[in-house]
Amino acid sequence: MKPKITIKIIAKELGVSTSTVSKALRDSHEISIETKERIKAYADYYNYRPNNLALQLRNQKTKVIGIILPKIVHHFFSTVISGIEKVANERGYNIMVCFSNEQQQKEIETINVLTNGSVDGLIVSIAKESLRNKELNHFYNLIENEVPLVLFDRVHNSIECDSVIVDDIGAGYKATKHLINIGCKNIGIITTPEHVTVGLDRLQGYERAIKETGIKIDKNLIINVDEDEDIYSQIHKLFDEKIDAVFAVNEIYAATAIRIAKEKGMKIPEELSVVGFTDGLISKYSSPSITTVVQHGFTMGEQAADLLIDRIENDKKERTPQTKVISSNLKIRESSKS
Amino acid sequence: MKPKITIKIIAKELGVSTSTVSKALRDSHEISIETKERIKAYADYYNYRPNNLALQLRNQKTKVIGIILPKIVHHFFSTVISGIEKVANERGYNIMVCFSNEQQQKEIETINVLTNGSVDGLIVSIAKESLRNKELNHFYNLIENEVPLVLFDRVHNSIECDSVIVDDIGAGYKATKHLINIGCKNIGIITTPEHVTVGLDRLQGYERAIKETGIKIDKNLIINVDEDEDIYSQIHKLFDEKIDAVFAVNEIYAATAIRIAKEKGMKIPEELSVVGFTDGLISKYSSPSITTVVQHGFTMGEQAADLLIDRIENDKKERTPQTKVISSNLKIRESSKS
DNA sequence: TATCAACACGAAAACGTTTTCGTAGCATTT
DNA sequence: AAATGCTACGAAAACGTTTTCGTGTTGATA
């Protein structure tokens, strides 16, 4: 990399002080018109641009927000990034993206690196391992040190910070209600293990909707998928039961259920209705296309970024932590009869 | 954000100089054992971590690599990021991700911001608009200023830098050849407009494979999809022709073709074989699952990161620009009979 | 006793900015 | 003629590090 031109160099070349150059470039009234012209012309000619690092050190702010995600190859997370980036950009910030790969250790290290001056604040979705272990000290430390922090989607209420979440209970309720409304009686649910709160919440919504109909919850219709094992065979078990509908808490489970149903010769949606979660490409382009709870990842990203930047820029007045609940809605497609 | 503890503070509190503290923490032999112990204990207790910005300014390097992509909500690009991040991380770098949104102006601005000290080098996939306008001065400037740069996927040979590309011609050939081998005679191709080089290359591979069989290219079997128009109806026209196979240059075109075939009552793969491109979730989870050219985005990311970091760290010895061609391979699934 | 080396530490510069304060020179007012 | 004000600029500190060079003290050696 070629050395870039600096204020110092300009100052030396033009026989003035760095203060004069700095002021001239910022169009200070303290500097005479002629001197300003001379300096600006020189700076322009050599395409001077102030060095970010120096500014950041001087101003004690980086105008960068750090994002830590469990993974990125995932429609929802990349959508959220997109939303964050949009707002960040509009408000003059850049983003630095890191991944925990669902591992607690990497989450801790990443937080450490980023908070040593590289960023002004963090937006995080917590790694599964941290949630499972309930080892959240690294987050408590952030709060302790008053690092601006926004959690989204995977949150924990023991961490006192702004957060953006989906109304997962409501979403589970809506999805199940839709199935009930179109006449389904035996609705299976494919969800996550219990320590993943989003899965748990969606299950709660499901149970509420079922109970409202007066039917008792049938434990056999609830599948908790362990992602370390084979997904296909776990979901397959659900088809041993008599079911006419499936609510899956993500796209992949929904697609897998559809595959199994087809293999069993069940017609969709005539014999089996399916509702998924996350409006990704699978739901849209598979055939039949899948009715799905749309999660508004982009909006979540936008809101998270706004919360964070507000927090960063209003360091003075302590605002109590705020939680934004993004309500989701159902996009009805071919996989659930209407 | 609480003020963090600095070397200065430690020095003042312990009544020594900053040099002593710095040396002690780096375990210099110049400092007596007792003093070192004392300083380390203090630093440890207050959880001292050196400030990144200061280090970056001092060392004149950031250990950050900038990534500029046309968009992120796209399986291929997020996979590439993942690969870059892996290598970057292993080699002690962080990544700063920005998007051009396919717009030349934003590409230029982003490059400007990032190269003013924020990053040690750039990995870029060029925005469509820049390619279409052939306005690449911002890249020539980077080369001029010897900014370490690696282009991937969307490249241009007038820019003299390292690059990582897919062997699109070979991939198109392989895909078509596979269809020929399983007995297909009338193979349609759904590709992009001609200014998108990847689509053009894949078409070339297709044509080569067809010509090898002695069959003449039938222009009616070539669909150039204009993304500004309705994709479905454009692809639908292909089905007016007599076809027994389709090669689509991306997942979405492939899924759309399958949908149309199903609507027309064609059995897959018995009456129509389909091959897609990009091994994303759609191909894997739709039913039938789609035979596809896997693009190895992760590998591309890894290679790009390695090239860039090599370039950054060997600033001395000028290496001539290198191009890595990542060969793709076919993953055969249900949509093409075997 | 004078010389020298080793030890243990500090001062200062450097990275590139911005900003506060000081001041020399000149013009205006009383 | 003295006091005041303005213009136009420079010096220096600050942000947090690292590193080079210098130096005072001690102990050993000649």
Side-chain angles (χ1 to χ4, degrees):
Chain A
M1 194 127 47
K2 267 195 194 167
K4 305 201 67 166
I5 189 155
T6 70
I7 281 193
K8 279 193 179 178
I9 298 180
I10 300 181
K12 181 173 289 179
E13 290 299 312
L14 264 48
V16 293
S17 75
T18 59
S19 351
T20 304
V21 177
S22 175
K23 287 171 189 167
L25 293 176
R26 322 191 96 237
D27 216 21
S28 162
H29 63 273
E30 286 184 43
I31 308 299
S32 71
I33 312 264
E34 308 95 65
T35 310
K36 279 201 273 194
E37 298 279 303
R38 203 162 59 102
I39 292 176
K40 281 182 184 172
Y42 190 95
D44 233 45
Y45 182 75
Y46 288 102
N47 199 27
Y48 168 79
R49 298 270 175 268
N51 179 297
N52 279 336
L53 288 180
L55 285 182
Q56 292 174 9
L57 185 59
R58 169 97 236 259
N59 299 332
Q60 292 293 82
K61 58 186 169 193
T62 63
K63 292 277 183 176
V64 173
I65 69 192
I67 305 179
I68 305 178
L69 303 175
K71 55 193 166 193
I72 190 189
V73 187
H74 194 289
H75 187 261
F76 174 64
F77 285 125
S78 55
T79 311
V80 174
I81 294 185
S82 205
I84 296 174
E85 198 266 350
K86 182 196 158 212
V87 170
N89 210 258
E90 284 169 1
R91 298 184 67 172
Y93 285 72
N94 276 301
I95 63 177
M96 192 151 194
V97 182
C98 299
F99 310 115
S100 62
N101 297 333
E102 303 283 13
Q103 295 158 20
Q104 175 175 318
Q105 198 48 45
K106 200 173 170 214
E107 187 169 81
I108 294 174
E109 280 164 18
T110 307
I111 287 179
N112 271 332
V113 173
L114 292 188
T115 52
N116 287 327
S118 297
V119 302
D120 291 342
L122 286 176
I123 297 180
V124 183
S125 188
I126 308 180
K128 272 186 194 159
E129 198 186 354
S130 302
L131 285 173
R132 195 176 331 119
N133 299 348
K134 296 219 169 63
E135 255 294 315
L136 301 169
N137 277 322
H138 43 308
F139 291 104
Y140 303 150
N141 281 337
L142 289 178
I143 305 300
E144 178 73 24
N145 293 310
E146 294 164 19
V147 177
L149 171 69
V150 175
L151 293 177
F152 79 90
D153 197 50
R154 308 245 206 98
V155 307
H156 196 275
N157 55 22
S158 69
I159 306 169
E160 288 176 24
C161 66
D162 294 334
S163 54
V164 182
I165 54 175
V166 173
D167 171 22
D168 280 297
I169 299 182
Y173 178 82
K174 273 184 204 168
T176 313
K177 195 76 185 170
H178 164 67
L179 290 169
I180 292 168
N181 287 343
I182 61 177
C184 301
K185 304 287 182 201
N186 304 295
I187 304 173
I189 177 169
I190 309 170
T191 182
T192 62
E194 300 205 348
H195 65 263
V196 183
T197 46
V198 294
L200 193 59
D201 286 350
R202 292 168 197 174
L203 176 61
Q204 276 183 35
Y206 162 87
E207 291 180 337
R208 207 177 82 204
I210 299 285
K211 279 179 190 155
E212 276 183 14
T213 67
I215 303 176
K216 255 192 70 186
I217 301 292
D218 181 350
K219 290 281 176 201
N220 293 322
L221 298 187
I222 300 175
I223 302 286
N224 292 97
V225 173
D226 179 350
E227 300 229 348
D228 297 333
E229 312 265 321
D230 177 43
I231 295 175
Y232 179 91
S233 58
Q234 293 179 72
I235 295 180
H236 205 280
K237 289 194 194 114
L238 180 60
F239 287 80
D240 296 341
E241 308 293 323
K242 176 168 164 287
I243 52 172
D244 57 6
V246 169
F247 167 38
V249 302
N250 64 44
E251 279 196 319
I252 292 179
Y253 298 170
T256 306
I258 286 180
R259 157 167 303 269
I260 295 170
K262 280 188 184 172
E263 286 167 6
K264 295 220 160 206
M266 297 172 83
K267 286 222 183 307
I268 297 172
E270 293 79 2
E271 298 170 50
L272 185 78
S273 293
V274 176
V275 174
F277 216 103
T278 302
D279 186 32
L281 295 175
I282 300 180
S283 306
K284 192 166 170 190
Y285 287 103
S286 83
S287 45
S289 56
I290 308 176
T291 294
T292 183
V293 177
V294 322
Q295 243 176 324
H296 304 302
F298 194 84
T299 310
M300 288 187 73
E302 289 178 314
Q303 305 250 0
D306 267 324
L307 277 175
L308 185 69
I309 297 177
D310 287 348
R311 181 70 73 176
I312 290 171
E313 297 184 348
N314 292 320
D315 217 1
K316 313 282 162 246
K317 33 186 166 177
E318 288 302 324
R319 189 164 41 66
T320 58
Q322 214 171 325
T323 295
K324 298 226 176 191
V325 179
I326 309 293
S327 73
S328 44
N329 63 290
L330 213 57
K331 187 169 275 178
I332 296 174
R333 296 209 182 86
E334 297 166 350
S335 69
S336 70
K337 61 192 169 192
S338 55
Chain B
M1 191 129 45
K2 266 196 194 166
K4 305 202 68 167
I5 188 154
T6 70
I7 282 193
K8 278 193 177 176
I9 298 179
I10 300 181
K12 181 173 288 181
E13 290 300 312
L14 263 50
V16 293
S17 75
T18 59
S19 351
T20 304
V21 176
S22 176
K23 288 171 189 166
L25 293 176
R26 323 191 95 237
D27 217 20
S28 161
H29 63 273
E30 286 184 45
I31 308 298
S32 72
I33 312 262
E34 310 94 64
T35 310
K36 280 201 274 195
E37 299 279 303
R38 203 162 58 102
I39 292 175
K40 282 181 186 174
Y42 191 94
D44 233 44
Y45 182 76
Y46 287 102
N47 198 26
Y48 168 79
R49 298 269 175 268
N51 178 297
N52 279 336
L53 288 180
L55 286 182
Q56 292 173 10
L57 186 58
R58 168 113 240 270
N59 299 331
Q60 292 292 83
K61 58 187 170 193
T62 63
K63 291 276 181 179
V64 173
I65 69 192
I67 304 178
I68 306 177
L69 303 175
K71 55 193 165 194
I72 191 188
V73 186
H74 193 290
H75 188 261
F76 173 64
F77 285 125
S78 56
T79 309
V80 174
I81 293 185
S82 205
I84 296 174
E85 198 267 351
K86 182 196 157 212
V87 170
N89 211 258
E90 285 169 0
R91 299 184 67 170
Y93 285 72
N94 276 303
I95 63 177
M96 192 150 197
V97 183
C98 299
F99 310 115
S100 62
N101 296 333
E102 303 283 13
Q103 295 158 19
Q104 176 176 318
Q105 198 48 45
K106 201 173 170 215
E107 189 169 79
I108 294 174
E109 278 165 20
T110 307
I111 287 179
N112 271 332
V113 173
L114 292 187
T115 51
N116 288 327
S118 296
V119 303
D120 290 342
L122 287 176
I123 297 179
V124 182
S125 188
I126 309 179
K128 270 186 196 160
E129 198 186 353
S130 303
L131 285 173
R132 193 172 336 116
N133 300 347
K134 297 220 170 61
E135 253 296 314
L136 301 168
N137 278 322
H138 43 308
F139 291 105
Y140 303 151
N141 281 336
L142 290 178
I143 304 300
E144 177 74 24
N145 292 310
E146 293 164 19
V147 176
L149 170 69
V150 174
L151 294 177
F152 79 91
D153 198 51
R154 307 244 206 99
V155 306
H156 196 275
N157 54 22
S158 70
I159 306 169
E160 288 177 23
C161 66
D162 294 333
S163 54
V164 182
I165 54 175
V166 174
D167 171 21
D168 279 297
I169 299 182
Y173 178 82
K174 273 184 203 168
T176 313
K177 194 77 186 171
H178 164 67
L179 290 169
I180 293 169
N181 287 343
I182 62 178
C184 301
K185 304 289 183 200
N186 304 295
I187 305 172
I189 177 169
I190 309 171
T191 183
T192 61
E194 300 206 349
H195 66 264
V196 183
T197 47
V198 294
L200 194 60
D201 286 350
R202 290 167 199 175
L203 175 62
Q204 276 183 34
Y206 162 88
E207 291 180 336
R208 207 177 81 202
I210 300 284
K211 280 179 190 155
E212 275 183 15
T213 66
I215 304 176
K216 253 192 72 185
I217 302 292
D218 182 351
K219 290 281 176 201
N220 292 321
L221 298 186
I222 301 174
I223 303 286
N224 291 97
V225 174
D226 178 351
E227 301 228 348
D228 296 333
E229 312 266 321
D230 178 42
I231 295 176
Y232 180 91
S233 58
Q234 294 178 70
I235 295 181
H236 204 282
K237 289 194 194 113
L238 180 59
F239 286 79
D240 296 340
E241 308 294 321
K242 176 167 162 288
I243 51 171
D244 56 6
V246 169
F247 168 38
V249 302
N250 65 43
E251 280 197 318
I252 292 178
Y253 297 171
T256 306
I258 287 179
R259 156 167 302 270
I260 296 171
K262 280 188 183 171
E263 287 168 5
K264 296 221 159 206
M266 297 172 83
K267 285 224 183 304
I268 298 173
E270 293 78 2
E271 298 169 51
L272 185 78
S273 293
V274 177
V275 175
F277 216 103
T278 303
D279 186 31
L281 295 175
I282 299 180
S283 305
K284 193 167 171 188
Y285 287 103
S286 82
S287 48
S289 56
I290 307 177
T291 294
T292 182
V293 177
V294 322
Q295 244 178 321
H296 304 301
F298 194 84
T299 310
M300 287 186 74
E302 289 179 313
Q303 304 250 2
D306 267 324
L307 278 175
L308 185 70
I309 298 177
D310 287 349
R311 180 71 70 178
I312 290 170
E313 296 183 349
N314 292 321
D315 216 3
K316 312 280 163 250
K317 33 184 167 178
E318 288 302 326
R319 189 164 43 63
T320 57
Q322 215 171 326
T323 296
K324 298 226 177 190
V325 179
I326 309 292
S327 73
S328 44
N329 63 291
L330 214 57
K331 186 169 274 178
I332 295 173
R333 296 210 182 85
E334 297 166 351
S335 70
S336 68
K337 61 192 169 191
S338 54

